[in-house]
Each structure stands twice: as C-alpha cells, then as structure tokens.
C-alpha cells in the first residue's frame, strides 16, 4: 500500500468561552518541512507539537493553522504597533515597485499574524491544551485518511500505466522478425545495385553481426523485470516513494535503449507511447511517501 504526501484535515475544539479552529494540510516534499501559524497562547507548545507531528506525518510540506474564535464579549484588541509596522511595509513595497495599494489592504493587514490579540491574558490551562491538542491530532488523523485515499488513487493509476507499458512491450514482438527481414533485404538490394560481386557467406556473417547489435531481447527482459518489481513494491509497506522513483528511472533507461536499437518506424512509435506512459508515472511518483 502506498500513501500520498497530499492531505488535508480540520477540526474544532469547543471550549466554554471560545472555539479553537485547526487546519492542517500537506504537499509533496523530499523531506519533512513544517510551517506553524498558531495562536500566541499556544506557542509554548509549538516545539513539542512539531516533533509529534514530524513522527506522525514523516514526509511532506506541512502547514498547520490554529486560531481562536472568541464566543461573545470583547474578543480581541488590535496591536497598534504591529499594525502600523505592517502598514508602513506594505506602503513602502507599493511605492518601490510602483504598484497601487489594493482596495482591501486594510482588512488584509488585520488578518496578518499578531495584529489581533486576545483581550484575555489568562495563562494556558492544562484542560484547555488537552482539548486543543486533541483537536490537532484529530485534524492530523483526517490528513492521514486523506493521504490513504489519495494513495489508493495513485496505486490504481500506476497499475494502469504499468499494464499499458507491458502491452506496448508485447506489441514489439510483432515487428522484430519483420525488422530483421527488412534489414537483410535492404542491404542485399544495395549490394546488388552496385553490380559488384560479393561473397554471400561473408554477407551472412556480417548480417548476423549487424542484427545481433540490434537485438532487443535483453532490454525487453530487463524492462519486464522492472515492471514486475514496480508492482511488487506497490504491494509492499508504505514509504516506498523513493524506491518507486529509482525503478521508474531504470525503466526509462531500458525504454530509451529499446528506442535506439529499434531501427523500425512502428517500433519507434511504440517506444514513444511507452515513454509517455512512463512520464506520467514519474510525475505522480513524486507525490508518493
């Protein structure tokens, strides 16, 4: 079974005076790269939270958002110093780049980090953090479920593409004998047109040597092995994304060699189709954990 690096999850922690909203999403990345935007009251827990999610999610570019919605009363106050700093920066950038200020830039500044602070300065209680932590873990579980669904879709796509390449490889056999006969006929005709006497035994020897150089049986066998290995890797444990990428590279080498040896229009068309299927595999395998 394979897992996708793409995922999304959300949840809400219901507290007596507030709602804490959690959203977490991930995209493909070679390593674990996490960005956290969390309400100031929970920042003391950020380091431990990063370690916990890194162990749980393993790979991907992960974005975690945690914000508070107060229920009734004067929920927030504006941090005027931070607000003024953002405004100066936006105006300065607009002036430097000769860009007009957007019509809604005032509202945009209000949504930037640390502009709106909670009027409540109470310290974080253990009960509140337990509720918020549970919400974060619930969102992470939803993300993992999403990854599994995306992984199943990728699995089906890969199997379809591998089957297509195997079918194209089978088609190559129809043209192999025809290719040899055409090469032999072309060389013999060229020699006959010269009007020069030649040793037919020597010609047969040279033809055998020439045709052996164009033999693609080894490439076909290796490509078939790679196709089977790719499928067996799909059936293995999660976390095989890099291995699948390596196998796809080896498949590409055999297909390229097959194309260079084909010396036949129809076989070259088949090779082009195989390359197209393989490129789709390579594109999607980057999203596999």
């Amino acid at each position: 079974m394979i897992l996708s690096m793409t995922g999304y999850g959300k949840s809400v922690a219901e507290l007596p005076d507030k709602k804490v909203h959690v959203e977490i999403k991930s995209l493909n990345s070679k390593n674990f790269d996490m960005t956290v935007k969390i309400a100031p009251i929970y920042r003391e827990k950020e380091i431990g939270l990063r370690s916990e999610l890194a162990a749980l999610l393993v790979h991907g570019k992960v974005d975690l958002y945690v914000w508070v919605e107060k229920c009734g009363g004067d929920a927030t106050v504006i941090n005027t110093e931070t607000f003024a700093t953002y405004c100066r920066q936006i105006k300065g950038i607009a002036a430097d780049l000769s860009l007009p200020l957007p019509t809604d830039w005032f509202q945009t500044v209000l949504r930037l980090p640390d502009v709106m602070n909670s009027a409540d300065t109470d310290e974080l209680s253990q009960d509140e953090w337990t509720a918020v932590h549970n919400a974060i873990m619930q969102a992470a579980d939803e993300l993992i479920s999403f990854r599994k669904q995306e992984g199943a879709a990728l699995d089906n796509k890969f199997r379809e593409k591998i089957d297509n390449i195997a079918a194209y490889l089978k088609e190559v056999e129809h043209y192999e004998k025809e290719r040899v006969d055409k090469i032999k006929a072309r060389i013999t005709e060229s020699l006959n047109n010269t009007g020069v006497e030649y040793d037919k035994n020597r010609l047969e020897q040279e033809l055998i040597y020439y045709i052996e150089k164009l033999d693609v049986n080894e490439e076909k066998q290796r490509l078939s092995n790679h196709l089977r290995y790719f499928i067996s890797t799909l059936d293995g444990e999660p976390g095989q994304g890099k291995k699948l990428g390596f196998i796809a590279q080896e498949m590409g080498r055999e297909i390229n060699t097959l194309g260079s040896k084909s010396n036949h229009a129809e076989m070259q068309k088949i090779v082009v189709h195989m390359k197209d299927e393989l490129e789709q595999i390579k594109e999607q395998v980057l999203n596999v954990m």
Side-chain angles (χ1 to χ4, degrees):
M1 182 184 74
I2 60 173
L3 298 177
S4 170
M5 283 194 236
T6 303
Y8 177 80
K10 66 177 182 178
S11 64
V12 178
E14 299 274 0
L15 298 168
D17 60 341
K18 68 180 78 171
K19 291 181 180 179
V20 181
H21 299 266
V22 178
E23 285 189 4
I24 185 169
K25 64 179 181 180
S26 68
L27 299 172
N28 62 306
S29 176
K30 291 183 179 179
N31 302 305
F32 183 79
D33 180 19
M34 186 172 183
T35 300
V36 177
K37 293 184 179 180
I38 193 169
I41 192 173
Y42 308 124
R43 280 188 184 153
E44 64 185 78
K45 304 293 186 179
E46 182 177 333
I47 295 177
L49 192 59
R50 282 178 177 271
S51 299
E52 193 173 2
L53 290 174
L56 188 63
L57 302 178
V58 185
H59 287 296
K61 184 182 184 303
V62 178
D63 293 316
L64 173 66
Y65 304 93
V66 181
W67 72 96
V68 177
E69 177 189 354
K70 298 290 286 187
C71 299
D74 187 10
T76 57
V77 294
I78 297 176
N79 186 328
T80 54
E81 183 177 347
T82 302
F83 180 85
T85 300
Y86 280 133
C87 288
R88 286 194 297 270
Q89 291 177 349
I90 291 174
K91 288 180 178 178
I93 292 171
D96 291 342
L97 300 178
S98 300
L99 297 174
L101 287 171
T103 56
D104 60 345
W105 73 278
F106 188 87
Q107 289 81 4
T108 300
V109 174
L110 289 175
R111 292 195 294 269
L112 291 173
D114 300 329
V115 172
M116 305 293 289
N117 293 333
S118 173
D120 185 3
T121 58
D122 290 345
E123 293 184 358
L124 177 63
S125 68
Q126 184 58 47
D127 289 343
E128 179 175 342
W129 174 244
T130 298
V132 173
H133 180 267
N134 290 340
I136 293 172
M137 291 300 105
Q138 180 183 340
D141 288 341
E142 284 191 12
L143 183 146
I144 293 172
S145 296
F146 195 107
R147 281 181 165 185
K148 290 179 180 178
Q149 294 174 15
E150 289 291 304
L154 286 175
D155 184 280
N156 291 334
K157 191 73 171 178
F158 288 145
R159 293 176 190 275
E160 175 190 336
K161 298 303 174 185
I162 292 295
D163 287 344
N164 290 345
I165 293 175
Y168 286 129
L169 185 58
K170 193 72 175 174
E171 288 183 24
V172 169
E173 298 176 4
H174 301 317
Y175 300 102
E176 285 189 271
K177 186 177 185 305
E178 175 187 328
R179 179 184 62 150
V180 172
D181 293 340
K182 282 187 176 181
I183 292 171
K184 184 176 180 179
R186 186 170 67 245
I187 294 175
T188 303
E189 182 182 356
S190 298
L191 286 171
N192 289 334
N193 289 337
T194 63
V196 177
E197 290 293 329
Y198 59 89
D199 186 337
K200 292 187 177 180
N201 290 330
R202 180 61 185 273
L203 174 61
E204 291 294 333
Q205 293 174 2
E206 293 297 330
L207 280 172
I208 291 171
Y209 174 74
Y210 182 67
I211 291 169
E212 281 180 349
K213 289 181 65 176
L214 297 179
D215 181 70
V216 295
N217 283 320
E218 288 188 11
E219 287 73 18
K220 286 165 52 185
Q221 182 62 43
R222 286 196 292 265
L223 181 55
S224 295
N225 290 339
H226 293 328
L227 295 176
R228 288 193 293 269
Y229 190 30
F230 194 97
I231 294 297
S232 66
T233 303
L234 286 179
D235 294 331
E237 295 295 321
Q240 303 293 328
K242 288 184 178 180
K243 181 186 285 189
L244 292 172
F246 294 147
I247 299 170
Q249 288 179 8
E250 294 302 315
M251 289 161 55
R253 288 191 180 94
E254 301 306 330
I255 292 173
N256 286 335
T257 306
L258 192 64
S260 66
K261 286 186 172 184
S262 62
N263 200 23
H264 188 284
E266 292 303 320
M267 284 179 63
Q268 287 172 339
K269 288 180 182 179
I270 292 172
V271 167
V272 169
H273 290 309
M274 294 167 73
K275 286 183 177 181
D276 181 52
E277 299 292 335
L278 181 60
E279 283 304 309
Q280 294 181 57
I281 291 175
K282 286 182 176 180
E283 181 180 330
Q284 295 299 325
V285 83
L286 295 173
N287 200 30
V288 177
M289 286 185 59

